[in-house]
Amino acid sequence: MHYRRFGRTELPMPVLSCGGMRYQYQWQDASPEKIPPESQRNLEAVIRRSLESGINHIETARGYGTSEMQLGWILPKLPRERLIVQTKVSPKPDPAEFRRDLEKSLKYLQLDHVDLLGLHGINTPELLEYSIRPGGCLEVAQELQKEGKVRFIGFSTHAPTDVIVNAIATDKFDYVNLHWYYINQLNWRAIEAATRHDMGVFIISPSDKGGKLYDPPQKLVDLCSPISPIVFNNLFCLSHPQVHTLSLGASKPTDFDEHLQTLDLLDRWDEIVPPILEKLEKAAMEALGEDWLKTWNQGLPNPEDTPNNINIPIILWLRNLAIAYDMIEYGKMRYNLLGNGGHWFPGQNAATIDQVDLSHCLKNSPHADQIPQLLRETHQLLGGQSVPRLSQS
């Protein structure tokens, strides 16, 4: 295993982390007797495989159903000095409710402290305000920090980059969990800001939200050859020293195997990654055209500034991936989440495109005339049955 200094926490963070949102029994809390023994055996096998691999960062959240409770049945049995344990709790308008949730997390984990506490889902300016205002959720977390129950405080986010940068600029957080990977590099400005503040940088879901890479289309497999799309994406992310760790949402012990292939190649990323990048960029250019590829996202409105909250940037981005790399199944997964994702994945799909006039909101786009038809075509390509968030499953 390779380890990197996790910003000002000074923790030696493994470059791969064990995320806890896929090995639990269910997405809602349950009484202990309801959890099947085979579910617990699988979770414990995942944790032991993680530690055998040198992945000693175990990451979970209050919002991950039975994950904390089930971890609390194994973590206290393991050498505490070997573990970096992180949980996350969503900020609330009422900081007393946040405190109750946080205390429940600590009770379930059965540890005297967590190494990392994240304010979970600072996705909007309002949620940031709940966190940092006087007497807000951050102050509650800091009180538990003074009591020795929390070592370092950070935040996780699916927010637009400006909101993330504003949260970082407060200099109140030790680390950030955010999205950034090959197919979506928009948050690089936030990573640069985190680096200036000497914060730890944790990448959320690079293999699932980063492209459903555990089930890649053949075109993407061919373009990433001689390595797999998962290993390519890992190398791409970790070739940037500003990135410290990638979350692996393992549901079973063997889910680590492909990711671990990354480790032997890390020192050679500079000879492995550039040729694959060249192939990927060439394929996108051929499929989409140079002018579109360079300018498609210029002047696009946010969902809140678009009739019926249609999320034009996300829809066109998913169209690009589907056309350039045959990432149709990934596109369907994400496209049909629009309208069901709340502030975690905001905006609506293009089902109502024929009921709205987009001319005003697209006035700054060089492609204003063609975008409505592209939205129609994308809805036909990717539209289907709505998809709930995992936590709603």
Side-chain angles (χ1 to χ4, degrees), residues 106 112-114 142-151:
L106 296 173
D112 60 5
H113 73 278
V114 291
Q142 290 169 335
E143 289 169 7
L144 272 78
Q145 188 178 40
K146 291 175 183 175
E147 295 171 16
K149 296 178 181 178
V150 171
R151 292 183 65 193

Side-chain angles (χ1 to χ4, degrees), residues 175-308:
Y175 70 94
V176 58
N177 297 8
L178 47 65
H179 290 272
W180 185 84
Y181 20 75
Y182 177 70
I183 64 167
N184 184 356
Q185 300 173 43
L186 292 177
N187 282 336
W188 182 249
R189 182 162 58 91
I191 292 177
E192 290 180 319
T195 302
R196 289 193 298 271
H197 286 263
D198 196 22
M199 293 170 61
V201 174
F202 171 109
I203 302 300
I204 302 170
S205 193
S207 298
D208 184 45
K209 306 304 187 295
K212 206 179 176 192
L213 301 180
Y214 46 82
D215 185 23
Q218 188 60 47
K219 184 174 183 179
L220 192 62
V221 171
D222 294 341
L223 289 168
C224 291
S225 179
I227 57 178
S228 71
I230 278 182
V231 175
F232 160 74
N233 196 46
N234 289 349
L235 285 176
F236 171 81
C237 294
L238 293 172
S239 68
H240 298 77
Q242 301 91 334
V243 170
H244 302 133
T245 189
L246 313 179
S247 178
L248 315 183
S251 61
K252 56 187 184 301
T254 54
D255 287 348
F256 294 107
D257 295 351
E258 187 172 354
H259 291 280
L260 292 171
Q261 296 173 23
T262 307
L263 302 177
D264 289 338
L265 303 176
L266 256 182
D267 292 338
R268 297 171 44 220
W269 74 264
D270 53 346
E271 61 185 81
I272 298 170
V273 170
I276 298 174
L277 287 175
E278 186 176 347
K279 287 190 290 182
L280 290 165
E281 291 163 6
K282 182 181 178 183
M285 194 80 72
E286 291 174 350
L288 298 166
E290 182 175 2
D291 179 58
W292 174 263
L293 201 60
K294 290 183 176 180
T295 62
W296 71 270
N297 58 352
Q298 291 179 8
L300 296 181
N302 296 320
E304 57 267 27
D305 300 320
T306 304
N308 290 357

Side-chain angles (χ1 to χ4, degrees), residues 11-28:
L11 293 170
M13 181 66 72
V15 296
L16 304 175
S17 289
C18 180
M21 66 181 295
R22 295 185 184 278
Y23 50 49
Q24 79 275 41
Y25 169 55
Q26 66 179 36
W27 277 94
Q28 299 79 34

